Amino acid sequence: MPGWTLNYEVGFYLLFGAALCLPRAVQLGMLTAVLIALAAIHPLVGRDQAALYFYSDPHILEFLGGLWLAQLWRSPAFGHAATRGVLIATTVALCGLALALPAEWPKALRYGLPALSAVATILAYERRPGGIAELPALRLLGDASYSIYLWHTLALAVTAKIAMALHIAGAVAIPLHMVAGIGIGLIGYAGLEKPVMRYFHRRKRLAAVALEARDCVSPAWDRVPM
């Protein structure tokens, strides 16, 4: 299980929740300042300060990228053809840069920026007139994305050992990892996540119906203002 990433999510949600207590005009600025400040002090934090060392890792800047992407998405210009062209070129350039950068560079720069640009490109295409064609297979992958995220590491642990034992080349092993990771995620979605969500949605509907029925049969004098 990718527990370490879930810890980052919990920390971000706590910070985001705290920002909601501030005036709307300063929320994004406050979150930007705090996340950049945390990443800036990371080189100064010792590993013995485990919590601060963990939560100041430059990984947290990927949350900042998501915040600003949400802000940019609201702009009417975001779906323009020129914007899409710039984003495609930016994504290609950042992917090439990621391959050229030394391995010791922060992953938030090597992988986070190309990923952010790629997501922005897809969102820009969604904003164009007509959006993106509905494809059932992609819809299923989107619905199951959280289960894939949670379960894929279990499959990779197995396929990595198989690839090593059989001396499978990386070009062949990568598709194997992808199929296994997506496959176990889809199984988790169909066998666990979807039934659990259906159960709670059904309970919510029943509670709403019961509340409506109770209001309908309550004595008239209960609804007469005193």
Side-chain angles (χ1 to χ4, degrees), residues 6-50:
L6 295 176
N7 283 324
Y8 280 122
E9 289 188 31
V10 171
F12 173 72
Y13 294 151
L14 289 174
L15 183 61
F16 187 86
L20 294 178
C21 300
L22 299 174
R24 181 66 178 269
V26 301
Q27 290 174 356
L28 182 59
M30 187 281 291
L31 288 168
T32 300
V34 171
L35 290 171
I36 290 178
L38 283 172
I41 67 172
H42 182 73
L44 307 177
V45 180
R47 290 181 177 272
D48 56 321
Q49 299 174 280

Side-chain angles (χ1 to χ4, degrees), residues 119-183:
V119 171
T121 303
I122 298 299
L123 290 177
Y125 272 90
E126 284 187 342
R127 286 288 299 275
R128 68 178 181 174
I132 296 177
E134 179 76 17
L135 299 174
L138 294 182
R139 166 68 70 176
L140 176 61
L141 289 177
D143 291 342
S145 59
Y146 194 69
S147 287
I148 295 172
Y149 157 64
L150 289 177
W151 293 99
H152 76 280
T153 53
L154 297 180
L156 296 187
V158 176
T159 56
K161 292 181 179 179
I162 292 175
M164 291 180 62
L166 300 180
H167 304 288
I168 299 176
V172 178
I174 290 176
L176 172 65
H177 299 328
M178 292 177 62
V179 170
I182 292 173

Side-chain angles (χ1 to χ4, degrees), residues 2-225:
W4 65 275
T5 61
L6 295 176
N7 283 324
Y8 280 122
E9 289 188 31
V10 171
F12 173 72
Y13 294 151
L14 289 174
L15 183 61
F16 187 86
L20 294 178
C21 300
L22 299 174
R24 181 66 178 269
V26 301
Q27 290 174 356
L28 182 59
M30 187 281 291
L31 288 168
T32 300
V34 171
L35 290 171
I36 290 178
L38 283 172
I41 67 172
H42 182 73
L44 307 177
V45 180
R47 290 181 177 272
D48 56 321
Q49 299 174 280
L52 184 57
Y53 185 85
F54 180 83
Y55 286 107
S56 64
D57 189 282
H59 272 111
I60 61 175
L61 295 178
E62 296 179 24
F63 290 105
L64 181 59
L67 288 171
W68 277 100
L69 177 56
Q71 187 73 9
L72 294 173
W73 183 84
R74 298 181 177 186
S75 170
F78 192 75
H80 290 178
T83 303
R84 297 195 296 271
V86 169
L87 287 172
I88 291 174
T90 301
T91 301
V92 172
L94 288 174
C95 288
L97 182 61
L99 295 174
L101 287 175
E104 60 270 15
W105 277 54
K107 291 183 178 180
L109 293 177
R110 293 176 57 220
Y111 304 133
L113 286 179
L116 179 66
S117 185
V119 171
T121 303
I122 298 299
L123 290 177
Y125 272 90
E126 284 187 342
R127 286 288 299 275
R128 68 178 181 174
I132 296 177
E134 179 76 17
L135 299 174
L138 294 182
R139 166 68 70 176
L140 176 61
L141 289 177
D143 291 342
S145 59
Y146 194 69
S147 287
I148 295 172
Y149 157 64
L150 289 177
W151 293 99
H152 76 280
T153 53
L154 297 180
L156 296 187
V158 176
T159 56
K161 292 181 179 179
I162 292 175
M164 291 180 62
L166 300 180
H167 304 288
I168 299 176
V172 178
I174 290 176
L176 172 65
H177 299 328
M178 292 177 62
V179 170
I182 292 173
I184 194 172
L186 291 174
I187 293 172
Y189 172 71
L192 182 61
E193 181 184 350
K194 194 173 182 179
V196 169
M197 291 178 61
R198 188 185 299 119
Y199 168 76
F200 282 106
H201 287 164
R202 183 167 59 249
R203 287 193 60 181
K204 185 177 180 180
R205 288 195 301 269
L206 291 175
V209 170
L211 182 60
E212 183 178 351
R214 187 183 66 183
D215 290 342
C216 291
V217 302
S218 60
W221 54 267
D222 282 348
R223 300 192 295 270
V224 176

